[in-house]
Amino acid sequence: MSRAPITGSFSLTRNLMGQLVFVGADGTAHEGVTPVRAFALTAPDAGISLMSSESKELQWIDSLDSLPENERHLITEALAQHEFMPIIRRILSVSSFATPSTWQVETDRGATALILKSEDDIRRLKSPGGLLIADGNGLHFMIRDRRDLDAHSQRILKRFL
Amino acid sequence: MTATDTLPEGWQTALPPLNAGEILLAWLELDLDANLNFRTSLVALTNQRILTATESWPLTATAHLHHVDHAGVGMLELDDGEKLLARWRYTLGRNPAALQFEREFNRQRDSQASGLPPPAPVAASCPICQLPIPADEEDCPNCARELHTPPSTWTLLRLWRFAQPYKGMLLAGFLLTLAATAATLVPPYLTMPLMDEVLIPYQNGKPIDTTKVAWLLSGLLGAAVFAWALGWARTYILALVSERIGADLRTATYEHLLKLSLEYFGGKRTGDLLARIGTETDRINVFLSLHLLDFATDILMITMTAVILFTINPWLALVTLIPLPIIGWLIHMVRDKLRTGFEQIDRVWAEVTSVLADTIPGIRVVKAFAQEAREAQRFREANKHNLEVNDRLNRVWSLFAPTVGLLTEIGVLVVWIFGIWLIAHDRITVGVLTAFLAYISRFYMRLDSMSRIVSTTQKAAAGAKRIFDILDHVSSVPDPVKPVALPPLKGGIKIENVHFRYGNRAILRGIDLDIQPGEMIGLVGHSGSGKSTLVNLICRFYDVSEGGIRVEGVDLRSVAVADYRKHIGLVLQEPFLFFGTIAENIAYGKPDATRAEIVAAARAAHAHEFILRQPYGYDSLVGERGQSLSGGERQRISIARALLIDPKILILDEATSAVDTETEYEIQSALNNLIRGRTTIAIAHRLSTLRRADRLVVMDRGRIVEIGNHDELMAREDHYYRLYMAQSKQLDELPALGMEAGMENEVVA
């Protein structure tokens, strides 16, 4: 079902309940709008869709830069609250080289531990050296480029690839 | 739980002091802060308020705590009905605790509002699945099964479990090895008298003692023949044993694999699993029958040789053995590198196989989209990766063997030098040196082959690890330790507050449904609304994340899986026919069915006639996917299969959506025979196929939004009405629809 993208003008506000309220070209207000990235990994900024609480697309945004300051701010804020993909900076230690293995890692959001259930949970990204690691609790950790990690982390990582 | 000292370790001082009469009821350790950084904090609930280290909110009647999760992050939101008061975040590992906190909060608030004391908590129940926990156990037996301990490094030793049944044969093999090795050590020993008492005296002018020579030479021959016979017996016995161990291992792995839940198969690639069961077990097998055997012989040989050498001449023996620790160190050094390398090769190899296993079943799609070149490229890349890893490993490996060779030569040289010096000083005879040289050549030969064991051991260990990965994987729908006997089923199913999560995606969120015996339920909703998941849970292909499903008052998790599934008939959108005859396929769920039963089932499924049109009737072969039959025909065979087991509960998952309208009519009448007198749960894309349903359950994004029959739901003019109208509108807009509906089915399949 290919529908033409909805690209008219719209406005966004935040209500007291902390939800985003969307008013589109037709003037109807939708509460509880969520912004979603269409290509969260390969092109995070290239396409963003505003979804209603019934999971209907309300608005397609080609690029955030084209938006007025207020809308851009609200969307970026909402995306930031929704997205949680800590980026691994260093792998401090692993409990074992056989899975399941508990990794002590340092991320851009602080130090934490993750459980790697199986090597299959490490997914190679299209970008060279990029890895996405799904931990046992469903969190995703990202390594931007494993070649940029320090030697110790790389040595550990290599045992799992 | 009355004072702050019940708080977990390290949090006793985290909260401000409580008021008089205030009782601490629950707490939640958070591990994320408002900016989603990993930082721990605490939120607690008392009988008066919710409080954190810095803030607190009273428990008013309008206060509302509400829980959402997205992408692995859970969130609790507190509002007063008008505006958001606070928001706390945590990773999903803490979700059960958070839900417990939310429940406790609701109980407290309701009791404050009504003025009644809060209802006593139900006897200890599991925070995850809410099943009562047996008094003699601490954790919920259903939930305490997550396997987070890694298997030990000495995986190969675990193969003992499979070797145990063959203990006797193994012992015999070992004794034979011992004897055979001893026999091979006799000839060099005999060279000593041959040299000192025969050859050297002859050079000094004495005649050769022919009887002595005859004795010594026949001793040499006898030892060789003896060693040959013993070696043959030992190799045969041990090969026999290892072949059996390998076969047991393969069977055990496959049997275990079949018991694992669909969840496991969803996350694995076929090629990888094929490689594990095929190649890895074979590799372990070869290791056990050849390399391990050789290794044991080598160890024995070296120990025995060393003992003999020391009894002849301790000093020369010492010199001979000097290179041993160096080689040992070398082996140790290279070992780690090799092991990781071999593990890597295995994974890369699985990648290569996976490309094949992905592409070949989907060859029609590949060709239809003319993507042969891309698939070839994908294969080439996987292969290139394979080469790279192998090249890296071979650099180390190729250096290793020549180095051992060089050390051997140096060792021989040292023995020559020291031996000549000892002879020159009349400390030993020429015969002793000859014997030493004969021994040492064997000795180092063994060392060299021993160094090879490193690579094969590592390969086998890596293989064993991957096998045990499967064997250690506890099914996520385990059979209970003490299964409850399933009472005779009437067909009622009670679904209570069921949640289901796949990875970090919540698919079902709180489903409550009471299905009466003999009732037909139609599940309706957009794709992705959770219909198929609910059906999978009812079949117990997966276990619920929270809540429970009961039949006849018994929770599904407490009965044996196979016992329960016997009562379920399943007809899928894409019927799978196994390779075999049509009759075998129909009797799949009941292999001992009589021919009459099979024919009756086929008749009821409206399959009888077309089966008779096949060249061999019921004995016609159908291929892996029943290629020679049409979609509707295959579907009717699968209906017959379900009919034959006479299930109490029948599940139709889009059973008619893959066929044209006319065939659908045929199938529909077949289904009507099937449905009669059974509890039926049907998912259908075309709402018209559900007109016989007693109740329609409309689902939307993991929740039930409407329940009722067609007329009631139409009168309500909400979800169902919209779905129905959209479909009848589409019907008017044919032929554009035909395409789209077809496309959608393709995607779902």
Side-chain angles (χ1 to χ4, degrees), chain A residues 4-17:
Chain A
I6 315 161
T7 47
S9 68
F10 66 97
S11 75
L12 274 182
T13 44
R14 193 182 274 287
N15 69 7
L16 284 174
M17 295 291 280

Side-chain angles (χ1 to χ4, degrees), chain B residues 599-622:
Chain B
V599 173
R603 268 187 215 281
H606 291 245
H608 185 61
E609 284 166 2
F610 84 79
I611 293 175
L612 291 185
R613 282 200 295 272
Q614 302 301 314
Y616 301 100
Y618 282 87
D619 288 331
S620 309
L621 284 178
V622 283

Side-chain angles (χ1 to χ4, degrees), chain B residues 56-116:
Chain B
S56 78
W57 298 267
L59 283 183
T60 58
T62 52
H64 180 69
L65 196 61
H66 141 110
H67 148 260
V68 279
D69 65 72
H70 174 81
V73 177
M75 194 154 69
L76 275 180
E77 289 180 331
L78 178 70
D79 66 59
D80 63 359
E82 280 167 10
K83 65 176 199 296
L84 186 72
L85 298 174
R87 193 182 257 167
W88 299 286
R89 294 182 175 80
Y90 50 86
T91 59
L92 278 187
R94 301 179 190 232
N95 208 32
L99 290 175
Q100 180 69 40
F101 188 86
E102 185 191 3
R103 272 193 293 276
E104 191 62 35
F105 171 85
N106 288 335
R107 249 180 30 184
Q108 270 314 305
R109 184 204 50 202
D110 294 347
S111 97
Q112 302 250 314
S114 61
L116 299 171

Side-chain angles (χ1 to χ4, degrees), chain B residues 348-550:
Chain B
V348 171
W349 189 238
E351 204 178 305
V352 174
T353 334
S354 282
V355 173
L356 291 178
D358 284 349
T359 317
I360 293 171
I363 192 69
R364 277 176 65 188
V365 183
V366 174
K367 286 189 175 294
F369 288 90
Q371 294 298 315
E372 290 96 334
R374 191 184 54 182
E375 291 302 334
Q377 180 61 26
R378 209 153 73 94
F379 189 72
R380 197 173 301 134
E381 260 163 36
N383 236 343
K384 205 177 92 193
H385 195 177
N386 184 19
L387 272 184
E388 276 168 20
V389 174
N390 267 301
D391 286 351
R392 211 172 330 144
L393 189 68
N394 285 338
R395 265 203 294 280
V396 182
W397 181 231
S398 53
L399 191 67
F400 187 54
T403 312
V404 173
L406 180 68
L407 285 173
T408 311
E409 294 303 322
I410 292 175
V412 174
L413 195 67
V414 170
V415 174
W416 270 113
I417 296 169
F418 195 60
I420 291 172
W421 184 79
L422 285 177
I423 290 176
H425 288 76
D426 282 332
R427 305 277 279 277
I428 56 167
T429 61
V430 177
V432 171
L433 182 62
T434 332
F436 259 79
L437 287 170
Y439 273 121
I440 201 181
S441 65
R442 279 161 198 256
F443 191 81
Y444 279 115
M445 222 163 62
R446 303 323 300 183
L447 262 191
D448 186 39
S449 83
M450 260 179 91
S451 68
R452 276 179 235 276
I453 187 88
V454 177
S455 84
T456 51
T457 312
Q458 304 305 353
K459 270 187 193 171
K465 192 210 129 194
R466 286 158 62 79
I467 295 280
F468 280 109
D469 270 354
I470 296 181
L471 285 175
D472 288 343
H473 197 98
V474 179
S475 171
S476 63
V477 288
D479 262 342
V481 190
K482 284 171 263 172
V484 175
L486 199 61
L489 291 191
K490 291 205 242 1
I493 304 169
K494 214 177 167 83
I495 301 168
E496 287 168 335
N497 188 26
V498 160
H499 290 254
F500 182 73
R501 188 185 306 285
Y502 193 90
N504 62 21
R505 213 157 61 100
I507 295 177
L508 295 181
R509 319 153 188 251
I511 300 282
D512 280 296
L513 187 62
D514 201 349
I515 301 172
Q516 300 303 318
E519 193 181 21
M520 177 171 177
I521 295 280
L523 284 180
V524 181
H526 296 289
S527 42
S529 58
K531 299 172 304 225
S532 293
T533 308
L534 183 60
V535 159
N536 282 338
L537 290 177
I538 292 175
C539 294
R540 214 184 157 212
F541 288 144
Y542 303 105
D543 264 347
V544 296
S545 310
E546 288 160 44
I549 299 177
R550 288 163 199 269

Side-chain angles (χ1 to χ4, degrees), chain A residues 1 16-17 53-55 80-82 84 96 99-100 109 112 119-120 124 138-140 159-161, chain B residues 32 35-38 70 73 79 82-84 87 147 150-151 268 340 344 347 385 465 504 701 740:
Chain A
M1 287 212 254
L16 284 174
M17 295 291 280
S53 51
E54 286 91 37
S55 296
Q81 279 171 8
H82 252 275
F84 187 63
S96 96
T99 52
R109 294 171 185 273
T112 188
E119 286 100 346
D120 300 339
R124 282 162 205 269
L139 268 188
H140 285 101
R159 299 284 298 264
F160 292 91
L161 293 176
Chain B
L32 290 174
N35 297 321
L36 290 173
N37 289 320
F38 290 105
H70 174 81
V73 177
D79 66 59
E82 280 167 10
K83 65 176 199 296
L84 186 72
R87 193 182 257 167
L147 189 78
K268 295 281 172 208
T340 58
Q344 231 169 2
R347 272 199 294 273
H385 195 177
K465 192 210 129 194
N504 62 21
R701 281 172 296 145
E740 235 171 64

